[in-house]
Amino acid sequence: MTLYSFFQQLHSGFRYIVIILVLLAIFQSLAGWLGKKPYTEGNRKINLFALISAHTQFLLGLVLYFLSPFVRFGAGVMKDAEARYWTVEHIAMMLFAIVLITIGHSKSKKIALPEGKHRTIAIFYILALVIIAIAIIQSKRAFFGISH
């Protein structure tokens, strides 16, 4: 097993942890927002774990970025759809999703009312999840399963 294949499989498999935690944060924030429920320590922890897992996944992806044979720098990259996707588009979309999760988490901490905390997490995490799903779909790799 090469270093590239190790990180590629780790990155591919770890996405399920990220998706599960982000979905859990979204579901509980929607329930809290729409059900006018208090913002609990459990809510805070799930939101934080989703944030941490997303940042961890981004760091794994960053290592993979510099090991990947699909990432190229130089003339012609923007004309080659696959090279452009892996060199520019994938990392840009994922960075944008991480920024949305980070902003949502940060803003929610500053809001006093529970409804506002839940609403902020729901909106920012949903937007991030949509971008993550689009990026995975655009990769033309299986959404489920470990990519090789």
Side-chain angles (χ1 to χ4, degrees):
M1 177 179 276
T2 65
L3 192 59
Y4 166 73
S5 65
F6 171 78
F7 274 100
Q8 199 272 336
Q9 289 180 21
L10 181 61
H11 183 67
S12 181
F14 195 75
R15 71 178 158 183
Y16 295 110
I17 294 169
V18 176
I19 290 169
I20 288 167
L21 287 170
V22 170
L23 280 171
L24 191 55
I26 290 169
F27 289 142
Q28 76 172 10
S29 64
L30 285 171
W33 175 21
L34 302 173
K36 300 185 190 306
K37 295 180 181 179
Y39 188 84
T40 66
E41 182 64 13
N43 295 132
R44 186 191 72 76
K45 284 181 180 176
I46 291 296
N47 298 339
L48 179 62
F49 293 156
L51 170 90
I52 291 169
S53 71
H55 280 103
T56 302
Q57 177 71 337
F58 187 76
L59 291 175
L60 291 171
L62 204 53
V63 170
L64 188 58
Y65 185 78
F66 290 103
L67 296 174
S68 175
F70 299 107
V71 174
R72 296 193 326 249
F73 302 98
V77 169
M78 297 306 278
K79 293 178 183 173
D80 178 347
E82 185 176 35
R84 181 182 63 241
Y85 175 77
W86 292 113
T87 306
V88 179
E89 296 167 2
H90 185 77
I91 194 169
M93 286 188 287
M94 294 306 187
L95 178 60
F96 187 53
I98 297 299
V99 167
L100 286 170
I101 289 171
T102 305
I103 291 171
H105 187 265
S106 180
K107 287 176 77 71
S108 76
K109 292 188 332 185
K110 297 174 185 171
I111 298 171
L113 296 175
E115 185 180 326
K117 287 180 179 290
H118 290 303
R119 180 183 62 242
T120 301
I121 291 292
I123 291 169
F124 280 88
Y125 282 36
I126 287 170
L127 290 173
L129 186 62
V130 167
I131 291 168
I132 290 167
I134 290 169
I136 292 170
I137 290 166
Q138 282 187 333
S139 74
K140 296 185 178 111
R141 298 202 172 166
F143 196 84
F144 296 105
I146 305 295
S147 299
H148 300 294

